[in-house]
Amino acid sequence: MGTVRKTITLTDKQDGWIKAQIEAGHYTNDSEYIRGLIRREQERSAEVEAIRSALMAGESSGEPRAFDPEAFKQRMLVKHG
């Protein structure tokens, strides 16, 4: 996997936050912290897209059917004890 060097500008407060995370032992350097943020955002975006897809599938699956919570509980008790 190749790497690309980037230059970013931070406020003093943001820089202090990153330094505090490194000093606390959560990260070894600034780059690791930034890559961690990007990975978390990529994961969050994937989760949001999965939810969006599931909602769209649900909306297009037809009219809702009646749901009896007591009957459902009873079936689950019989099935799973």
Side-chain angles (χ1 to χ4, degrees), residues 19-32:
K19 287 178 180 174
Q21 299 305 303
I22 293 166
E23 289 170 9
H26 301 297
Y27 301 91
T28 57
N29 59 46
D30 296 23
S31 292
E32 184 182 310

Side-chain angles (χ1 to χ4, degrees), residues 48-65:
V48 167
E49 186 54 38
I51 292 168
R52 184 176 287 117
S53 293
L55 287 170
M56 290 171 61
E59 288 176 350
S60 65
S61 68
E63 290 297 314
R65 293 176 281 163

Side-chain angles (χ1 to χ4, degrees), residues 9 22 28 31 33 38 41 43 46 55 64 67 77:
T9 303
I22 293 166
T28 57
S31 292
Y33 179 77
I38 293 168
E41 178 61 16
E43 291 167 1
L55 287 170
F67 179 75
L77 279 173

